[in-house]
């Protein structure tokens, strides 16, 4: 068997198995496997098959349009792009946020973490965990969960609703709002809005804690499987606050190698390109980032909830921090190193977001009227980084003297996890599929591994690609609407 | 209770060149989802593991067409769904992804994968597993007949709810000006 499984020596002689489209993930992707006659896996790849051109078409636009344009990369985490762009453009306009603006943005962000994590766990991933990876495909979805575990499904729907309502009150609408602007925000909360959100805040904390416990129970019930499934050592990258706390909105970069040694810590993100570079592979539109000091072969790393919860020094809200310590200690620390530990860490973060929302709602700065700061300096460059639900998100813009964006670079969360997800599916292919007759249930094991990362493949496809083929799009009457030929 | 057991309508959904926001807006009907599930069942959808569209009453399509695969999936939906609905700005007129229509695709490719300063060893992705991109992003109705258009980026959960419940109850869908938006 080919040890790395990235590229088979003689692909033309092999049988192709494809999982397409990947389901219960966000965005467009597929997995291909190449097998020899005896059913041994020779190649396994996660392909990102769509392309956009966001970084290119925002060039030439006025900078203040950017926060509302770029969020349309992703309808699940639009707030992340909205805020990362604003953080970058705060630097361009030279503004230091007012307390009200910073806290409204944080509230919006925690609302987003809550709704996105709830969606991912309850609507997308819980069917695998509650019913089994190779359970009946017809039932393996949120409808099946609603039928068999109505309380779980209902809590998932209501947790997501609460996060969406926090976003609506801060951003103006639930999806693709306009609340944040370069230099601040354009609305704060009214007393009525604040009180409305407070009504359910404690219930949401309680349900979030139930969700953490649910994942813990699933680990206890399936310890052997969960401990090793799709697991592998990986370097890590995340933002941390100056005191080492988990902070999803702002901080410095912390990187560790696979054995836990620090590569850099509290590094300013405004020169991220000195730390990170990207590789391209011909078979995916998604790039492969790596730490420059480690090089492109071994310098890949993992981001997201599992990384954040296991590498921060503490979580600055009490219930989530208690759950973090329990998670780290569980099974002698093996759960915290397992790929399915992503789900546990994600629910701990959801609990943290719920607690942080409750705390913020008790802060009267949210009702303030001082919404925007007028900047003094003008900078040509701005870099905004935050921890999106799926991991570290980097936005980088250059703006000219006419207020036009002249260059944009985005490294989105899921892109950081590209190699890690490929390693995960190869682990699964090796352990569960190699030499066996391939069934739907076995193929779902591959998807379970991908889902653990909660990939956002829409976000990851902002770049464009090329094919050595040609295609024509022809209308009913034979008129060619669109044509492309290359190679 | 009525003694007539109504057949559940079969609904397929897909996201083509969209951002999933329209699917998220469908979920923004919140707990009304459970009432909806009494009346419909899902076929192919990002929410299920059904990978090909079977015979359906209603097809909901988010996103426009940016590559050959999108065109293929749209035709699969049109062939199998009695009623096809374009949901959201991207499906209705191309939406934000169509902003790339004034750019030269080849030049974009070069800039993103070859000459970008953050890229160490550039190569333009060209594997046969990757679907061919179209040089322009197109709305759905340029390729198939579309029965209904629901604008908005995204249309709100309330708008989607009103539309679907009208349709399921056999009424002509009337979303109403207060729920429609064109953002
Ligand atoms: S219409 Fe808006 S919300 Fe819907 S897919 Fe397009 S960008 Fe996303």
């Amino acid at each position: 068997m080919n040890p790395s499984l990235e590229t088979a020596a003689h692909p033309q002689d092999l049988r192709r198995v494809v999982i397409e489209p990947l389901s219960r993930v966000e965005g467009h992707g597929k997995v291909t496997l190449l097998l020899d006659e005896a059913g041994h896996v020779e190649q396994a790849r996660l392909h990102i098959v769509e392309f956009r051109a966001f970084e290119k078409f925002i060039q030439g636009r006025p900078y203040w349009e950017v926060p509302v344009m770029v969020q349309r990369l992703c309808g699940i985490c639009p707030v992340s792009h909205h805020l990362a762009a604003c953080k970058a453009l705060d630097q361009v306009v030279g503004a230091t946020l007012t307390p009200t603006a910073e806290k409204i943005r944080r509230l919006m962000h925690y609302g987003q973490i809550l709704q996105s994590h709830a969606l991912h766990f309850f609507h997308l991933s819980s069917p695998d965990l509650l019913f089994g990876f190779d359970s009946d495909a017809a039932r393996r979805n949120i409808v099946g969960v609603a039928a068999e575990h109505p309380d779980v499904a209902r809590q998932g729907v209501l947790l997501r609703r609460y996060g969406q309502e926090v976003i609506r009150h801060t951003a103006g609408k639930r999806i693709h709002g306009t609340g944040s602007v370069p230099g601040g925000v354009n609305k704060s909360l009214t007393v009525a809005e604040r009180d409305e959100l407070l009504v359910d805040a404690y219930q949401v904390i309680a349900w979030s804690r139930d969700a953490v416990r649910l994942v813990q129970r699933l680990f206890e019930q399936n310890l052997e499987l969960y401990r090793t499934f799709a697991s592998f050592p990986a370097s890590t990258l995340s933002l941390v606050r100056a005191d080492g706390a988990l902070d999803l909105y702002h901080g410095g970069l912390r990187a560790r190698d696979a054995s836990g040694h620090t590569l850099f810590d509290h590094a300013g993100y405004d020169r991220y390109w000195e730390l990170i570079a990207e590789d391209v592979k011909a078979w995916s539109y998604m790039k492969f980032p790596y730490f420059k000091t480690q090089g492109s072969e071994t310098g890949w790393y993992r981001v997201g909830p599992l990384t954040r919860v296991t590498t921060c020094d503490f979580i600055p809200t009490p219930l989530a921090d208690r759950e973090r310590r329990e998670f780290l200690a569980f099974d002698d620390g093996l759960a915290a190193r397992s790929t399915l530990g992503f789900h546990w860490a994600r629910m701990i973060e959801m609990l943290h977001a719920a607690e942080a929302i409750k705390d913020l709602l008790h802060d009267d700065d949210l009702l303030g009227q001082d919404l925007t700061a007028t900047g003094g300096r003008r900078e040509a460059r701005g870099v905004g980084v935050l921890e999106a639900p799926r991991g570290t998100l980097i936005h980088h813009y250059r703006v000219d003297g006419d207020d036009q964006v002249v260059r944009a670079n985005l490294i989105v969360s899921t892109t950081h996890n590209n190699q890690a997800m490929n390693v995960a599916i190869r682990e699964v292919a090796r352990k569960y599929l190699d030499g066996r007759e391939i069934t739907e249930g076995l193929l779902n094991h591959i998807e379970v591994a991908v889902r653990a990362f909660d990939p956002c493949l829409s976000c990851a496809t902002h770049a464009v690609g090329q094919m050595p083929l040609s295609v024509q799009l022809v209308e009913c009457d034979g008129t060619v609407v669109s044509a492309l030929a290359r190679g | 209770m009525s003694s007539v057991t109504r057949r559940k309508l079969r609904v397929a959904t897909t996201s083509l060149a969209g951002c999933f926001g329209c699917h998220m807006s469908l979920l923004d009907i919140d707990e009304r989802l459970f009432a909806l599930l009494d009346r419909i069942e899902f076929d192919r959808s990002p929410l299920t593991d059904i990978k090909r569209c079977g015979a359906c009453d209603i097809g909901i399509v988010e996103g426009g067409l940016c590559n050959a695969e999108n065109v293929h999936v749209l035709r699969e939906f049109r062939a199998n769904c009695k009623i096809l609905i374009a949901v959201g700005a991207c499906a209705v007129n191309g939406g934000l992804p169509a902003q790339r229509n004034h750019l030269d695709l080849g030049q974009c490719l070069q800039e993103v994968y070859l000459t970008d300063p953050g890229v160490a060893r550039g190569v333009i992705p060209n594997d046969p597993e990757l679907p061919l991109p179209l040089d322009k992003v197109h709305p759905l109705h340029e390729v198939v007949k579309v029965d209904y258009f629901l604008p908005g980026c995204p249309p709100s959960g309330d708008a989607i709810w009103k539309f679907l419940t009208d349709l399921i109850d056999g009424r002509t869908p009337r979303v109403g000006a207060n729920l429609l938006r064109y953002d």
Side-chain angles (χ1 to χ4, degrees):
Chain A
M1 194 168 87
N2 163 13
S4 102
L5 295 194
E6 178 172 318
T7 303
H10 303 288
Q12 65 286 357
D13 304 335
L14 300 172
R15 182 161 66 94
R16 172 177 173 274
V17 173
V18 62
I19 308 175
E20 182 183 27
L22 292 173
S23 48
R24 290 186 283 125
V25 298
E26 196 270 359
H28 310 82
K30 69 178 179 186
V31 168
T32 56
L33 305 170
L34 295 182
L35 310 166
D36 71 10
E37 276 167 19
H40 294 302
V41 182
E42 292 290 329
Q43 179 177 303
R45 290 173 171 178
L46 167 66
H47 308 265
I48 302 310
V49 298
E50 211 198 289
F51 70 97
R52 326 277 278 277
F54 274 68
E55 286 148 308
K56 293 298 154 208
F57 67 64
I58 56 183
Q59 288 178 10
R61 311 296 301 209
Y63 71 80
W64 56 82
E65 285 184 356
V66 168
V68 286
M69 289 181 86
V70 290
Q71 64 185 342
R72 277 147 172 110
L73 283 164
C74 178
I76 297 189
C77 57
V79 169
S80 311
H81 294 289
H82 189 55
L83 294 181
C86 283
K87 283 184 75 175
L89 296 168
D90 290 343
Q91 294 163 19
V92 169
V93 300
T96 308
L97 293 193
T98 66
T100 296
E102 156 122 16
K103 286 171 188 174
I104 288 284
R105 283 196 194 172
R106 277 184 179 270
L107 182 62
M108 196 192 303
H109 191 45
Y110 291 124
Q112 139 121 323
I113 297 279
L114 184 81
Q115 67 84 11
S116 175
H117 281 1
L119 170 91
H120 178 261
F121 182 72
F122 292 98
H123 297 70
L124 302 180
S125 278
S126 73
D128 297 319
L129 307 176
L130 294 169
F131 299 141
F133 303 172
D134 51 7
S135 59
D136 176 13
R139 187 181 60 150
R140 221 170 44 213
N141 51 53
I142 181 69
V143 184
V145 177
E148 303 246 340
H149 304 275
D151 292 347
V152 172
R154 198 178 152 72
Q155 282 176 23
V157 165
L158 295 178
L159 282 165
R160 178 179 178 278
R161 179 183 76 174
Y162 186 77
Q164 290 290 78
E165 283 297 283
V166 171
I167 294 172
R168 184 170 71 83
H169 282 312
T170 48
K173 64 200 249 262
R174 282 180 164 199
I175 297 164
H176 302 329
T178 55
S180 185
V181 294
V185 295
N186 60 22
K187 88 179 272 292
S188 54
L189 291 193
T190 63
V191 174
E193 288 168 337
R194 195 261 319 266
D195 291 349
E196 185 190 319
L197 290 175
L198 266 174
V199 171
D200 289 327
Y202 292 89
Q203 179 65 68
V204 164
I205 292 174
W207 282 339
S208 299
R209 192 149 67 150
D210 290 348
V212 179
R213 299 285 161 79
L214 172 61
V215 181
Q216 175 165 359
R217 272 204 308 287
L218 289 164
F219 262 84
E220 284 161 0
Q221 288 160 6
N222 307 281
L223 196 56
E224 272 304 308
L225 173 64
Y226 279 31
R227 184 189 277 157
T228 54
F229 182 79
S231 298
F232 53 90
S235 303
T236 57
L237 175 75
S238 62
L239 282 184
V240 288
R241 202 164 77 181
D243 60 359
L246 177 78
D247 190 336
L248 301 170
Y249 180 74
H250 193 66
L253 292 167
R254 170 175 284 180
R256 294 191 175 149
D257 70 13
S259 49
H261 295 118
T262 299
L263 296 171
F264 48 86
D265 205 0
H266 302 294
Y269 57 65
D270 51 334
R271 301 182 75 77
Y272 69 91
W273 58 86
E274 291 173 355
L275 304 169
I276 296 166
E278 292 181 289
D279 212 3
V280 184
K281 298 193 181 184
W283 45 270
S284 186
Y285 287 127
M286 186 156 74
K287 291 176 181 175
F288 291 81
Y290 58 91
F291 296 138
K292 279 186 161 175
T293 49
Q294 317 294 98
S296 63
E297 289 304 313
T298 57
W300 57 275
Y301 51 88
R302 191 195 67 205
V303 300
L306 181 61
T307 291
R308 296 188 293 238
V309 169
T310 58
T311 60
C312 70
D313 300 332
F314 65 99
I315 297 180
T317 52
L319 298 178
D321 196 54
R322 196 174 311 150
E323 297 298 336
R324 178 190 69 92
R325 280 183 268 125
E326 185 121 343
F327 174 50
L328 293 185
F330 186 84
D331 194 19
D332 295 324
L334 291 178
R337 271 177 267 157
S338 72
T339 288
L340 291 178
F342 257 107
H343 294 293
W344 194 336
R346 196 171 286 119
M347 292 301 96
I348 293 172
E349 284 191 346
M350 184 168 79
L351 175 58
H352 167 58
E355 290 182 279
I357 289 169
K358 182 262 296 171
D359 289 346
L360 276 168
L361 290 174
H362 285 96
D363 187 330
D364 283 345
D365 280 345
L366 286 185
L367 310 174
Q369 288 307 317
D370 201 3
L371 303 183
T372 49
T374 25
R377 296 161 296 122
R378 265 295 299 260
E379 298 283 340
R381 184 180 76 213
V383 177
V385 177
L386 50 72
E387 287 290 336
R390 293 155 186 82
T392 316
L393 170 65
I394 302 174
H395 278 222
H396 174 185
Y397 304 98
R398 289 190 80 85
V399 177
D400 70 10
D402 295 328
D403 290 349
Q404 283 184 343
V405 175
V406 288
R407 183 172 128 72
N409 188 40
L410 315 178
I411 306 182
V412 302
S413 320
T414 297
T415 302
H416 296 290
N417 276 334
N418 197 354
Q419 182 65 14
M421 290 189 292
N422 272 285
V423 170
I425 64 164
R426 287 168 198 155
E427 280 297 315
V428 173
R430 213 175 267 130
K431 183 153 174 201
Y432 296 92
L433 280 75
D434 194 66
R436 307 234 179 114
E437 193 192 326
I438 305 290
T439 60
E440 192 279 337
L442 282 178
L443 290 178
N444 190 49
H445 281 60
I446 298 261
E447 292 195 74
V448 170
V450 175
R451 279 179 207 125
F453 292 83
D454 184 13
C456 181
L457 307 175
S458 301
C459 290
T461 54
H462 52 84
V464 290
Q466 174 196 22
M467 299 295 306
L469 293 168
S470 76
V471 74
Q472 285 192 334
L473 190 55
V474 185
E475 240 177 315
C476 329
D477 65 359
T479 338
V480 177
V481 180
S482 181
L484 182 71
R486 280 191 195 286
Chain B
M1 250 190 68
S2 148
S3 57
V4 186
T5 359
R6 277 178 300 196
R7 181 180 69 89
K8 285 193 181 183
L9 296 180
R10 208 162 165 86
V11 177
T13 80
T14 189
S15 169
L16 303 177
C19 77
F20 264 69
C22 289
H23 273 82
M24 290 304 103
S25 215
L26 168 62
L27 293 180
D28 278 343
I29 64 175
D30 299 330
E31 59 276 40
R32 288 171 287 180
L33 177 66
F34 302 117
L36 186 66
L37 290 176
D38 289 338
R39 309 290 309 279
I40 68 151
E41 57 192 10
F42 282 111
D43 192 83
R44 173 178 174 163
S45 164
L47 296 171
T48 71
D49 287 346
I50 302 171
K51 311 263 182 191
R52 294 288 164 263
C53 182
C56 284
D57 300 289
I58 300 172
I60 294 174
V61 181
E62 160 199 306
L65 306 162
C66 78
N67 65 27
E69 167 73 13
N70 292 158
V71 177
H72 175 80
V73 174
L74 178 63
R75 291 197 169 128
E76 177 187 300
F77 267 63
R78 181 67 277 182
N80 286 289
C81 301
K82 288 184 201 150
I83 293 173
L84 193 72
I85 310 164
V87 174
C90 296
V92 173
N93 61 25
L96 201 70
Q99 292 280 336
R100 80 160 163 86
N101 286 0
H102 68 277
L103 300 176
D104 178 79
L105 190 58
Q107 203 182 328
C108 282
L109 297 164
Q110 298 234 338
E111 286 179 24
V112 171
Y113 291 109
L114 291 180
T115 58
D116 182 294
V119 167
R121 298 174 302 179
V123 46
I124 292 179
N126 65 349
D127 193 272
E129 294 292 354
L130 303 179
L132 183 67
L134 302 172
D135 65 345
K136 300 270 189 274
V137 175
H138 296 272
L140 307 185
H141 67 267
E142 288 187 4
V143 175
V144 299
K145 174 174 178 289
V146 173
D147 300 301
Y148 292 99
F149 298 86
L150 190 54
C153 182
S156 68
D158 288 340
I160 294 175
W161 171 255
K162 178 74 170 68
F163 183 91
L164 283 181
T165 46
D166 277 355
L167 199 59
I168 290 167
D169 289 340
R171 295 187 294 268
T172 302
R174 294 203 196 287
V175 172
N178 56 336
L179 281 180
L180 272 187
R181 63 184 183 216
Y182 300 89
D183 47 1

